[in-house]
Amino acid sequence: EALVRPALRKLMGFAALDRPRIEVRAAVAIESREGRTDFVRVTLERHDGAWWAHPAGAQDSGHLAPQSRAHALLVVPDAAGQIAAGEPAQALLLRWPEEGSA
């Protein structure tokens, strides 16, 4: 999503290369390693006028269930060691949550 999709869309002549980004809040603290940008698969839930991001499950590449549940990829910038619970963050929107689901 973050590397190959934009490259393929550019080769196909599209002007918009990336998925839409939305502002979310982390529902729990999300750990990351400083020095690299991480993309955490999350589900989205709307509360108090904001989108809240919950990790969709194990973040290992071989775990397919969290990948299929994810609504977005939460971006943890390379300079951040974590995103604290309640802190705002950017997310690449994969799909909108269905009404009444999390």
Side-chain angles (χ1 to χ4, degrees):
E1 283 298 324
L3 301 173
V4 176
R5 183 179 198 273
L8 290 176
R9 288 184 60 84
K10 184 170 181 76
L11 290 170
M12 294 169 62
F14 287 97
L17 304 180
D18 292 319
R19 296 240 180 220
R21 287 182 181 244
I22 62 170
E23 184 161 313
V24 298
R25 294 198 170 272
V28 297
I30 297 177
E31 301 292 326
S32 176
R33 288 191 289 178
E34 281 189 58
R36 76 176 219 182
T37 300
D38 278 330
F39 297 91
V40 178
R41 291 179 294 276
V42 295
T43 58
L44 300 175
E45 199 171 86
R46 189 93 169 149
H47 289 292
D48 301 325
W51 287 105
W52 289 83
H54 301 265
Q59 298 297 311
D60 299 326
S61 61
H63 291 209
L64 298 179
Q67 292 179 32
S68 67
R69 274 194 298 271
H71 297 127
L73 298 173
L74 184 125
V75 181
V76 183
D78 59 357
Q82 93 170 59
I83 295 179
E87 187 176 339
Q90 292 287 309
L92 298 172
L93 184 64
L94 301 173
R95 62 186 175 89
W96 287 109
E98 294 179 18
E99 195 77 25
S101 71

